[in-house]
Amino acid sequence: MSDIATPLLDKIKSAKDLRSLPVSELKDVCAEVRSFLIDSVSKTAGHFASGLAVVELTTALHYVFDTPKDKIIWDVGHQSYPHKILTGHKDELRTIRQKNGLHAFIWRGESEYDVLSTGHASTSIGSALGLAVANKAQDLPNKVVAVIGDGALSGGAAYEAMNNAGSTKDTDLIVILNDNEMSISNNVGSVAQYLASILANPYYVKLIEGGKKALKSLPTIKEIAEKAQEHVKGMIMPGTLFEELGFNYIGPVDGNNVENLVAILQNVKKIGGLQFVHVVTKKGKGYEKAEQNPTKYHGVPCFDPDVGIADSIDNGKISYSDEFGNWLCDRAKVDDKLVGITPAMPVGSGMSNFAKEYQDRFFDVGIAEQHAFVFASGLAAGGMHPVVAIYSTFLQRAYDGLIHDMAVQNLPILVAVDRGGIVGPDGPTHQGIFDLAFMRCIPNLVIMTPSSLKEQYLMLTTGYLANRPCVVRYERRSDEKLKEIPSLDSTIEIGKGNVVLQGKKIAICAFGAMVNTFKPLCEKYGLTLADMRFVKPLDTELVSNLAKTHDYIISIEEGVVSGGIGQELALCALNANPQVKTKCLGIGDHFVMEGTRAELLHDEGLTVDTVEPLIKKILG
């Protein structure tokens, strides 16, 4: 439970309760939401700075619109904590991102306010447009609002949706851009506020539309008048692009002034049609340390609000993401053709140092995963050697580029797939469990799964020097720092696995982190352990030999069993020895919800204590 007093917030069990308050009390409600958010998330960990930024915006939206009849689609979901607080989940916020707790992002059906799930970015406008068209088809008067973050607006899907909306007749849709980039904050002054209030005024809109109708019979004068309006508006407002897409642009608006927001949104609600409201917020608003360093406070561990997030202590370990970053810098020193690319994940992917040291060779393309591969293909064709760092869950969005812009053309692009397998608290939209299955069917690809930091370093070098499409896929984990860095000329033979332990009767063929997980079990029962290393090409010679010399072959992968590499391995074993028995262990045919990595691996049967009974049974 919270340690702070929230007398107003305690009375708000739904948005209807919020709307029963006078406007004059909303500022106090926002203060309580912000205090509760800081207190709660500092105890549980989770997304932080983004939620603090949108407290006033969330409050104003639920105050002005008749939610849940009116629909609010959040994009991206990590700005949704205030929404959860105001829609009946205040007391449950302490369970967020935990097993059987509140979902990390917006989840369809979690409450009556949540009509669509939101995990990845740039989808809100398209989903909201679909809802708006559905309302129109059924003669429903409900409003639809899409709230999109400025980062999500870098994704092409957002513009595809706006382009589609502009060609959809008589659509009633409101898009709110939550802009928390510091560079634009200066626009939120009294003049900009005054202009925004004019643009949001229904009388202004009627005047403009009425003038257009009156000038229909005078096409030349009408054209001059429209151009003059656009020219004047374009000189003082940054919304010309959105106007060209068919939206009426309103803004910029101070997104941390709840009373002004309410007034403007009430006008926007009356106007109808396609409206684009540009709202400027302060990321980390209300918590000074987060305001000063919003990136550090985007997703936070448990911390003391009075002290802030402590600097990480060097415990002798390093994450696979950071070791990738070390390799990237090492390779860049000796190869000026290396180019690093990431879709909006430079920090998470371990590329921060590379970005600082090699600014002219680092490209953060924003939330545009497919473009990352299209861009890389051009670089590769132009004689450069691109390295794309991407989370497994976001690689799903780049599947077309993976095939058409890399593999089909057999271009020398190295892909570092981070967060493979079970990620943990971020839930089903972020678990990296599908990549091995959807990549291994693509021709021309080499797919490697390192079991150690040394193997990762060697595989990155192998993939880079292979001059062909290569993928190195690793889990979200840390290991002891390398005492000796491999040479940048050291590689491993493509398609060759490695027998770590030689045993009898049962052979465990493991990929990636699973090698280390099950090594103690193999040692305890005298089993053979093979580090398969390559998902593609699979070491069929090794598998065949193991099948001929063992009674039982068990494959273990941190990915889905259905369509996974274990099935191909089992088929290879049976072809070599029809008498051998096989078992494929991995993720079941379901989405994996929130929980710690340890909890979820246990639930999926990928821990020693869940596999040991099977070993005992086989050994009799």
Side-chain angles (χ1 to χ4, degrees):
M1 297 296 289
S2 174
D3 296 329
I4 61 171
T6 53
L8 282 172
L9 204 52
D10 292 342
K11 299 175 184 177
I12 298 172
K13 305 300 181 185
S14 68
K16 186 177 181 181
D17 295 333
L18 175 68
R19 292 191 285 271
S20 68
L21 300 175
V23 174
S24 59
E25 291 190 9
L26 295 185
K27 192 172 182 181
D28 292 332
V29 171
C30 292
E32 289 187 14
V33 171
R34 185 166 276 113
S35 296
F36 180 81
L37 192 61
I38 294 170
D39 180 71
S40 180
V41 178
S42 67
K43 289 182 174 69
T44 64
H47 291 103
F48 190 63
S50 299
L52 291 174
V54 296
V55 169
E56 287 81 9
L57 176 58
T58 307
T59 304
L61 284 168
H62 281 297
Y63 191 80
V64 171
F65 292 94
D66 186 20
T67 54
K69 291 180 181 177
D70 292 339
K71 308 299 182 188
I72 301 174
I73 307 300
W74 293 93
D75 181 349
V76 292
H78 54 60
Q79 61 180 336
S80 65
Y81 286 25
H83 163 79
K84 291 176 185 282
I85 291 171
L86 292 172
T87 56
H89 293 302
K90 171 178 171 285
D91 294 335
E92 297 170 73
L93 196 68
R94 59 187 174 82
T95 70
I96 198 163
R97 302 172 78 245
Q98 297 170 25
K99 189 176 180 181
N100 301 321
L102 272 186
H103 291 282
F105 303 103
I106 294 292
W107 188 255
R108 172 174 165 81
E110 183 171 70
S111 76
E112 57 183 337
Y113 300 86
D114 304 315
V115 66
L116 286 167
S117 299
T118 305
H120 288 181
S122 313
T123 59
S124 62
I125 301 176
S127 296
L129 176 61
L131 283 168
V133 172
N135 282 348
K136 180 185 172 187
Q138 299 170 81
D139 292 323
L140 298 174
N142 310 124
K143 296 288 183 178
V144 182
V145 182
V147 184
I148 185 166
D150 52 3
L153 204 61
S154 65
Y159 295 95
E160 292 173 16
M162 283 190 282
N163 183 56
N164 186 199
S167 62
T168 306
K169 292 184 179 179
D170 303 321
T171 305
D172 193 357
L173 173 64
I174 299 167
V175 174
I176 295 180
L177 168 61
N178 169 30
D179 181 350
N180 48 44
E181 284 293 332
M182 300 299 291
S183 61
I184 208 164
S185 295
N186 292 332
N187 291 332
V188 188
S190 57
V191 175
Q193 285 290 297
Y194 177 66
L195 289 169
S197 66
I198 292 175
L199 296 174
N201 193 307
Y203 296 107
Y204 167 82
V205 176
K206 286 181 181 177
L207 175 66
I208 295 298
E209 294 305 317
K212 289 178 180 178
K213 290 178 182 177
L215 291 172
K216 270 187 177 179
S217 58
L218 303 167
T220 304
I221 298 176
K222 176 176 178 285
E223 185 177 337
I224 293 171
E226 285 179 338
K227 286 184 177 179
Q229 182 211 10
E230 289 175 7
H231 180 66
V232 172
K233 202 170 176 181
M235 284 193 298
I236 56 177
M237 293 295 176
T240 307
L241 170 63
F242 307 112
E243 297 272 4
E244 292 296 329
L245 289 169
F247 285 79
N248 176 49
Y249 174 86
I250 298 164
V253 176
D254 184 351
N256 295 123
N257 184 322
V258 70
E259 292 185 4
N260 282 357
L261 271 176
V262 166
I264 287 174
L265 290 175
Q266 284 173 335
N267 279 336
V268 172
K269 183 179 177 181
K270 297 173 187 174
I271 296 172
L274 297 176
Q275 304 297 324
F276 190 97
V277 186
H278 182 171
V279 175
V280 179
T281 60
K282 179 81 169 178
K283 202 166 186 180
K285 176 74 174 176
Y287 186 70
E288 187 176 355
K289 290 180 174 62
E291 290 183 16
Q292 294 172 349
N293 195 343
T295 301
K296 183 177 182 179
Y297 284 85
H298 171 72
V300 298
C302 297
F303 69 100
D304 182 346
D306 294 331
V307 178
I309 300 175
D311 292 331
S312 58
I313 299 172
D314 187 350
N315 60 359
K317 290 192 172 185
I318 187 172
S319 71
Y320 277 64
S321 304
D322 287 337
E323 188 57 56
F324 158 73
N326 290 341
W327 173 86
L328 197 63
C329 290
D330 292 346
R331 174 57 60 180
K333 287 177 187 176
V334 300
D335 189 343
D336 59 8
K337 290 190 175 182
L338 182 148
V339 177
I341 304 168
T342 185
M345 285 293 153
V347 177
S349 294
M351 299 182 77
S352 297
N353 290 337
F354 176 81
K356 292 174 185 175
E357 293 181 33
Y358 302 95
Q359 295 181 23
D360 58 333
R361 288 195 268 159
F362 169 72
F363 296 91
D364 182 347
V365 299
I367 302 176
E369 294 87 354
Q370 183 179 353
H371 168 64
F373 281 83
V374 177
F375 178 48
S377 71
L379 284 165
M384 301 300 284
H385 204 146
V387 179
V388 180
I390 187 168
Y391 285 13
S392 170
T393 181
F394 303 137
L395 181 63
Q396 295 163 187
R397 308 183 110 199
Y399 196 54
D400 186 73
L402 192 67
I403 296 175
H404 289 274
D405 301 293
M406 185 171 91
V408 167
Q409 303 181 71
N410 209 25
L411 287 168
I413 299 171
L414 175 63
V415 186
V417 179
D418 201 342
R419 303 318 199 256
I422 297 293
V423 173
D426 282 343
T429 57
H430 283 61
Q431 311 291 4
I433 61 177
F434 304 110
D435 53 9
L436 297 182
F438 70 62
M439 284 193 295
R440 74 179 191 85
C441 61
I442 302 174
N444 290 344
L445 278 193
V446 172
I447 306 169
M448 295 170 267
T449 56
S451 59
S452 67
L453 290 172
K454 181 180 179 181
E455 286 278 292
Q456 181 197 33
Y457 204 99
L458 290 170
M459 287 177 178
L460 288 166
T461 299
T462 300
Y464 189 83
L465 296 180
N467 263 342
R468 56 183 291 189
C470 289
V471 175
V472 179
R473 184 261 201 186
Y474 41 94
E475 298 84 0
R476 186 179 192 177
R477 58 195 177 106
S478 299
D479 213 335
E480 297 293 332
K481 289 181 179 178
L482 291 174
K483 293 179 180 178
E484 185 177 341
I485 306 298
S487 161
L488 285 170
D489 296 321
S490 298
T491 60
I492 61 175
E493 185 178 352
I494 290 177
K496 288 297 178 182
N498 179 36
V499 176
V500 178
L501 295 171
Q502 185 64 57
K504 297 179 180 180
K505 196 164 186 179
I506 302 173
I508 289 182
C509 298
F511 295 83
M514 295 292 101
V515 173
N516 299 315
T517 299
F518 291 97
K519 187 176 180 181
L521 185 68
C522 292
E523 290 174 333
K524 181 178 180 179
Y525 290 97
L527 313 180
T528 294
L529 174 63
D531 180 353
M532 296 308 299
R533 286 174 150 186
F534 289 85
V535 169
K536 189 178 182 118
L538 180 67
D539 190 343
T540 54
E541 182 181 353
L542 173 58
V543 175
S544 296
N545 288 337
L546 292 174
K548 293 173 183 175
T549 55
H550 293 75
D551 300 331
Y552 218 108
I553 302 289
I554 300 175
S555 68
I556 306 180
E557 61 192 298
E558 201 171 316
V560 291
V561 171
S562 182
I565 184 59
Q567 293 181 339
E568 181 180 342
L569 190 149
L571 182 61
C572 176
L574 289 167
N575 284 337
N577 176 14
Q579 304 306 314
V580 72
K581 294 180 180 179
T582 63
K583 180 74 174 178
C584 300
L585 298 181
I587 312 296
D589 188 20
H590 53 255
F591 290 104
V592 179
M593 309 308 284
E594 290 84 355
T596 66
R597 183 166 153 77
E599 287 173 335
L600 299 177
L601 286 171
H602 181 272
D603 290 348
E604 297 299 326
L606 295 176
T607 55
V608 169
D609 62 327
T610 55
V611 174
E612 190 168 17
L614 172 64
I615 300 300
K616 288 181 176 180
K617 183 179 179 180
I618 296 171
L619 295 176

Short mmCIF file of all heavy atoms in Angstrom, two decimals, residues 509-548:
data_model
loop_
_atom_site.label_atom_id
_atom_site.label_comp_id
_atom_site.label_asym_id
_atom_site.label_seq_id
_atom_site.Cartn_x
_atom_site.Cartn_y
_atom_site.Cartn_z
N CYS A 509 20.95 -31.38 -26.31
CA CYS A 509 21.42 -30.45 -27.34
C CYS A 509 20.80 -29.08 -27.04
O CYS A 509 19.60 -28.88 -27.23
CB CYS A 509 21.01 -30.93 -28.72
SG CYS A 509 21.70 -32.53 -29.18
N ALA A 510 21.62 -28.16 -26.54
CA ALA A 510 21.10 -26.88 -26.06
C ALA A 510 21.59 -25.72 -26.91
O ALA A 510 22.65 -25.80 -27.55
CB ALA A 510 21.50 -26.67 -24.60
N PHE A 511 20.78 -24.65 -26.91
CA PHE A 511 21.09 -23.44 -27.67
C PHE A 511 21.19 -22.25 -26.71
O PHE A 511 20.33 -22.06 -25.84
CB PHE A 511 20.02 -23.18 -28.73
CG PHE A 511 19.94 -24.23 -29.79
CD1 PHE A 511 19.21 -25.40 -29.57
CD2 PHE A 511 20.59 -24.08 -30.99
CE1 PHE A 511 19.13 -26.40 -30.53
CE2 PHE A 511 20.52 -25.06 -31.97
CZ PHE A 511 19.80 -26.23 -31.75
N GLY A 512 22.23 -21.44 -26.88
CA GLY A 512 22.35 -20.22 -26.10
C GLY A 512 22.49 -20.45 -24.62
O GLY A 512 23.23 -21.33 -24.15
N ALA A 513 21.76 -19.64 -23.83
CA ALA A 513 21.87 -19.67 -22.37
C ALA A 513 21.55 -21.01 -21.76
O ALA A 513 22.01 -21.34 -20.66
CB ALA A 513 20.95 -18.60 -21.77
N MET A 514 20.75 -21.81 -22.46
CA MET A 514 20.34 -23.11 -21.92
C MET A 514 21.53 -24.05 -21.71
O MET A 514 21.47 -24.98 -20.92
CB MET A 514 19.32 -23.77 -22.85
CG MET A 514 17.98 -23.02 -22.96
SD MET A 514 17.02 -23.07 -21.42
CE MET A 514 17.35 -21.44 -20.73
N VAL A 515 22.63 -23.81 -22.42
CA VAL A 515 23.83 -24.64 -22.25
C VAL A 515 24.33 -24.53 -20.81
O VAL A 515 24.59 -25.54 -20.14
CB VAL A 515 24.94 -24.20 -23.23
CG1 VAL A 515 26.25 -24.96 -22.93
CG2 VAL A 515 24.51 -24.44 -24.67
N ASN A 516 24.44 -23.30 -20.32
CA ASN A 516 24.92 -23.08 -18.95
C ASN A 516 23.91 -23.51 -17.91
O ASN A 516 24.28 -24.01 -16.84
CB ASN A 516 25.28 -21.61 -18.75
CG ASN A 516 26.38 -21.16 -19.70
OD1 ASN A 516 27.36 -21.86 -19.87
ND2 ASN A 516 26.19 -20.02 -20.33
N THR A 517 22.63 -23.32 -18.21
CA THR A 517 21.57 -23.71 -17.28
C THR A 517 21.63 -25.20 -16.96
O THR A 517 21.50 -25.61 -15.80
CB THR A 517 20.19 -23.36 -17.85
OG1 THR A 517 20.11 -21.94 -18.05
CG2 THR A 517 19.07 -23.78 -16.90
N PHE A 518 21.85 -26.02 -17.98
CA PHE A 518 21.75 -27.47 -17.79
C PHE A 518 23.08 -28.20 -17.66
O PHE A 518 23.11 -29.42 -17.55
CB PHE A 518 20.90 -28.07 -18.92
CG PHE A 518 19.46 -27.68 -18.82
CD1 PHE A 518 18.95 -26.63 -19.56
CD2 PHE A 518 18.62 -28.33 -17.93
CE1 PHE A 518 17.62 -26.24 -19.44
CE2 PHE A 518 17.29 -27.95 -17.79
CZ PHE A 518 16.79 -26.90 -18.54
N LYS A 519 24.17 -27.46 -17.64
CA LYS A 519 25.48 -28.10 -17.47
C LYS A 519 25.58 -28.82 -16.12
O LYS A 519 26.04 -29.98 -16.08
CB LYS A 519 26.59 -27.06 -17.61
CG LYS A 519 27.98 -27.67 -17.60
CD LYS A 519 29.06 -26.62 -17.84
CE LYS A 519 30.45 -27.28 -17.83
NZ LYS A 519 31.52 -26.26 -18.04
N PRO A 520 25.13 -28.20 -15.00
CA PRO A 520 25.20 -28.93 -13.71
C PRO A 520 24.38 -30.21 -13.71
O PRO A 520 24.79 -31.22 -13.11
CB PRO A 520 24.64 -27.91 -12.70
CG PRO A 520 24.86 -26.58 -13.34
CD PRO A 520 24.67 -26.81 -14.80
N LEU A 521 23.23 -30.20 -14.38
CA LEU A 521 22.39 -31.39 -14.43
C LEU A 521 23.09 -32.51 -15.20
O LEU A 521 23.04 -33.69 -14.80
CB LEU A 521 21.05 -31.04 -15.09
CG LEU A 521 19.99 -32.14 -15.12
CD1 LEU A 521 19.49 -32.42 -13.70
CD2 LEU A 521 18.81 -31.72 -16.01
N CYS A 522 23.73 -32.13 -16.31
CA CYS A 522 24.45 -33.13 -17.11
C CYS A 522 25.63 -33.70 -16.33
O CYS A 522 25.92 -34.91 -16.42
CB CYS A 522 24.93 -32.50 -18.41
SG CYS A 522 23.58 -32.08 -19.55
N GLU A 523 26.31 -32.85 -15.59
CA GLU A 523 27.43 -33.33 -14.78
C GLU A 523 26.94 -34.28 -13.69
O GLU A 523 27.57 -35.31 -13.41
CB GLU A 523 28.14 -32.12 -14.14
CG GLU A 523 28.91 -31.28 -15.14
CD GLU A 523 29.49 -30.01 -14.54
OE1 GLU A 523 28.90 -29.51 -13.54
OE2 GLU A 523 30.50 -29.52 -15.05
N LYS A 524 25.80 -33.97 -13.09
CA LYS A 524 25.26 -34.77 -11.99
C LYS A 524 24.88 -36.18 -12.44
O LYS A 524 25.11 -37.16 -11.72
CB LYS A 524 24.04 -34.06 -11.40
CG LYS A 524 23.38 -34.79 -10.23
CD LYS A 524 22.22 -33.97 -9.68
CE LYS A 524 21.54 -34.69 -8.52
NZ LYS A 524 20.41 -33.90 -7.96
N TYR A 525 24.32 -36.30 -13.66
CA TYR A 525 23.82 -37.60 -14.11
C TYR A 525 24.67 -38.22 -15.23
O TYR A 525 24.27 -39.23 -15.82
CB TYR A 525 22.38 -37.45 -14.59
CG TYR A 525 21.41 -37.19 -13.46
CD1 TYR A 525 21.00 -35.90 -13.15
CD2 TYR A 525 20.92 -38.24 -12.66
CE1 TYR A 525 20.12 -35.64 -12.10
CE2 TYR A 525 20.05 -38.00 -11.62
CZ TYR A 525 19.66 -36.69 -11.34
OH TYR A 525 18.80 -36.45 -10.29
N GLY A 526 25.81 -37.61 -15.52
CA GLY A 526 26.68 -38.19 -16.53
C GLY A 526 26.09 -38.15 -17.92
O GLY A 526 26.22 -39.12 -18.70
N LEU A 527 25.48 -37.05 -18.28
CA LEU A 527 24.85 -36.90 -19.60
C LEU A 527 25.77 -36.18 -20.56
O LEU A 527 26.67 -35.43 -20.16
CB LEU A 527 23.54 -36.11 -19.46
CG LEU A 527 22.57 -36.51 -18.34
CD1 LEU A 527 21.35 -35.62 -18.38
CD2 LEU A 527 22.18 -37.98 -18.46
N THR A 528 25.55 -36.39 -21.83
CA THR A 528 26.26 -35.62 -22.85
C THR A 528 25.58 -34.27 -23.02
O THR A 528 24.35 -34.18 -23.07
CB THR A 528 26.25 -36.37 -24.20
OG1 THR A 528 27.01 -37.59 -24.05
CG2 THR A 528 26.87 -35.53 -25.30
N LEU A 529 26.38 -33.23 -23.10
CA LEU A 529 25.86 -31.87 -23.33
C LEU A 529 26.51 -31.30 -24.57
O LEU A 529 27.75 -31.20 -24.64
CB LEU A 529 26.13 -30.97 -22.12
CG LEU A 529 25.75 -29.49 -22.29
CD1 LEU A 529 24.24 -29.34 -22.50
CD2 LEU A 529 26.21 -28.67 -21.09
N ALA A 530 25.69 -30.93 -25.54
CA ALA A 530 26.20 -30.31 -26.77
C ALA A 530 25.74 -28.86 -26.86
O ALA A 530 24.55 -28.57 -26.73
CB ALA A 530 25.70 -31.09 -27.99
N ASP A 531 26.69 -27.96 -27.02
CA ASP A 531 26.38 -26.56 -27.32
C ASP A 531 26.25 -26.48 -28.83
O ASP A 531 27.24 -26.50 -29.56
CB ASP A 531 27.53 -25.68 -26.82
CG ASP A 531 27.28 -24.19 -27.10
OD1 ASP A 531 26.29 -23.86 -27.78
OD2 ASP A 531 28.09 -23.36 -26.63
N MET A 532 25.01 -26.38 -29.29
CA MET A 532 24.76 -26.47 -30.73
C MET A 532 25.27 -25.26 -31.51
O MET A 532 25.54 -25.33 -32.69
CB MET A 532 23.27 -26.69 -30.99
CG MET A 532 22.72 -28.00 -30.45
SD MET A 532 23.68 -29.44 -31.00
CE MET A 532 23.49 -29.34 -32.77
N ARG A 533 25.33 -24.10 -30.83
CA ARG A 533 25.89 -22.88 -31.41
C ARG A 533 25.10 -22.32 -32.60
O ARG A 533 24.78 -21.14 -32.63
CB ARG A 533 27.32 -23.10 -31.87
CG ARG A 533 28.35 -23.18 -30.78
CD ARG A 533 29.69 -23.53 -31.40
NE ARG A 533 30.83 -23.02 -30.68
CZ ARG A 533 32.07 -23.12 -31.13
NH1 ARG A 533 32.31 -23.72 -32.29
NH2 ARG A 533 33.08 -22.62 -30.44
N PHE A 534 24.80 -23.15 -33.58
CA PHE A 534 24.16 -22.68 -34.81
C PHE A 534 22.73 -23.22 -34.93
O PHE A 534 22.51 -24.42 -34.91
CB PHE A 534 24.96 -23.09 -36.04
CG PHE A 534 26.26 -22.35 -36.18
CD1 PHE A 534 27.40 -22.80 -35.52
CD2 PHE A 534 26.35 -21.21 -36.96
CE1 PHE A 534 28.60 -22.11 -35.62
CE2 PHE A 534 27.54 -20.52 -37.07
CZ PHE A 534 28.67 -20.96 -36.40
N VAL A 535 21.80 -22.30 -35.07
CA VAL A 535 20.43 -22.67 -35.42
C VAL A 535 20.35 -22.93 -36.92
O VAL A 535 19.64 -23.80 -37.38
CB VAL A 535 19.45 -21.54 -35.00
CG1 VAL A 535 18.06 -21.78 -35.58
CG2 VAL A 535 19.39 -21.42 -33.49
N LYS A 536 21.16 -22.15 -37.65
CA LYS A 536 21.21 -22.33 -39.10
C LYS A 536 22.60 -21.93 -39.57
O LYS A 536 23.03 -20.81 -39.28
CB LYS A 536 20.14 -21.46 -39.77
CG LYS A 536 19.96 -21.72 -41.25
CD LYS A 536 18.85 -20.86 -41.81
CE LYS A 536 18.68 -21.18 -43.28
NZ LYS A 536 17.41 -21.70 -43.62
N PRO A 537 23.34 -22.78 -40.25
CA PRO A 537 22.99 -24.17 -40.53
C PRO A 537 23.16 -25.06 -39.29
O PRO A 537 24.15 -24.91 -38.55
CB PRO A 537 23.99 -24.56 -41.62
CG PRO A 537 25.18 -23.68 -41.37
CD PRO A 537 24.64 -22.39 -40.84
N LEU A 538 22.23 -25.95 -39.09
CA LEU A 538 22.30 -26.89 -37.98
C LEU A 538 23.44 -27.88 -38.21
O LEU A 538 23.65 -28.33 -39.34
CB LEU A 538 20.97 -27.63 -37.86
CG LEU A 538 20.85 -28.66 -36.73
CD1 LEU A 538 20.88 -27.99 -35.37
CD2 LEU A 538 19.57 -29.48 -36.90
N ASP A 539 24.14 -28.22 -37.16
CA ASP A 539 25.23 -29.19 -37.27
C ASP A 539 24.61 -30.60 -37.33
O ASP A 539 24.51 -31.31 -36.33
CB ASP A 539 26.17 -29.06 -36.08
CG ASP A 539 27.45 -29.89 -36.25
OD1 ASP A 539 27.45 -30.79 -37.12
OD2 ASP A 539 28.42 -29.64 -35.52
N THR A 540 24.21 -31.00 -38.51
CA THR A 540 23.52 -32.29 -38.69
C THR A 540 24.46 -33.47 -38.45
O THR A 540 24.03 -34.55 -38.01
CB THR A 540 22.94 -32.39 -40.11
OG1 THR A 540 23.98 -32.15 -41.08
CG2 THR A 540 21.84 -31.35 -40.31
N GLU A 541 25.75 -33.27 -38.71
CA GLU A 541 26.72 -34.34 -38.47
C GLU A 541 26.80 -34.64 -36.98
O GLU A 541 26.80 -35.82 -36.57
CB GLU A 541 28.09 -33.94 -39.01
CG GLU A 541 29.14 -35.04 -38.85
CD GLU A 541 30.51 -34.63 -39.38
OE1 GLU A 541 30.61 -33.54 -39.98
OE2 GLU A 541 31.48 -35.38 -39.15
N LEU A 542 26.85 -33.61 -36.16
CA LEU A 542 26.92 -33.79 -34.71
C LEU A 542 25.65 -34.46 -34.20
O LEU A 542 25.71 -35.41 -33.40
CB LEU A 542 27.12 -32.44 -34.03
CG LEU A 542 27.05 -32.42 -32.49
CD1 LEU A 542 28.09 -33.36 -31.89
CD2 LEU A 542 27.23 -31.00 -31.96
N VAL A 543 24.50 -33.99 -34.67
CA VAL A 543 23.22 -34.56 -34.23
C VAL A 543 23.13 -36.03 -34.62
O VAL A 543 22.70 -36.88 -33.82
CB VAL A 543 22.03 -33.76 -34.82
CG1 VAL A 543 20.70 -34.44 -34.46
CG2 VAL A 543 22.05 -32.33 -34.31
N SER A 544 23.54 -36.35 -35.83
CA SER A 544 23.49 -37.74 -36.30
C SER A 544 24.37 -38.65 -35.46
O SER A 544 23.97 -39.77 -35.09
CB SER A 544 23.93 -37.81 -37.77
OG SER A 544 23.02 -37.09 -38.59
N ASN A 545 25.56 -38.17 -35.13
CA ASN A 545 26.47 -38.97 -34.31
C ASN A 545 25.90 -39.19 -32.90
O ASN A 545 26.00 -40.30 -32.35
CB ASN A 545 27.83 -38.27 -34.20
CG ASN A 545 28.61 -38.33 -35.50
OD1 ASN A 545 28.37 -39.21 -36.33
ND2 ASN A 545 29.54 -37.41 -35.70
N LEU A 546 25.30 -38.15 -32.33
CA LEU A 546 24.69 -38.27 -31.01
C LEU A 546 23.52 -39.26 -31.04
O LEU A 546 23.31 -40.05 -30.11
CB LEU A 546 24.23 -36.90 -30.50
CG LEU A 546 25.33 -35.90 -30.18
CD1 LEU A 546 24.73 -34.53 -29.84
CD2 LEU A 546 26.20 -36.38 -29.03
N ALA A 547 22.75 -39.21 -32.12
CA ALA A 547 21.59 -40.10 -32.25
C ALA A 547 22.02 -41.57 -32.34
O ALA A 547 21.32 -42.47 -31.86
CB ALA A 547 20.77 -39.72 -33.48
N LYS A 548 23.17 -41.82 -32.93
CA LYS A 548 23.66 -43.20 -33.10
C LYS A 548 24.31 -43.74 -31.83
O LYS A 548 24.44 -44.96 -31.67
CB LYS A 548 24.67 -43.24 -34.24
CG LYS A 548 24.05 -42.97 -35.62
CD LYS A 548 25.12 -42.84 -36.68
CE LYS A 548 24.51 -42.49 -38.04
NZ LYS A 548 25.56 -42.26 -39.07
#
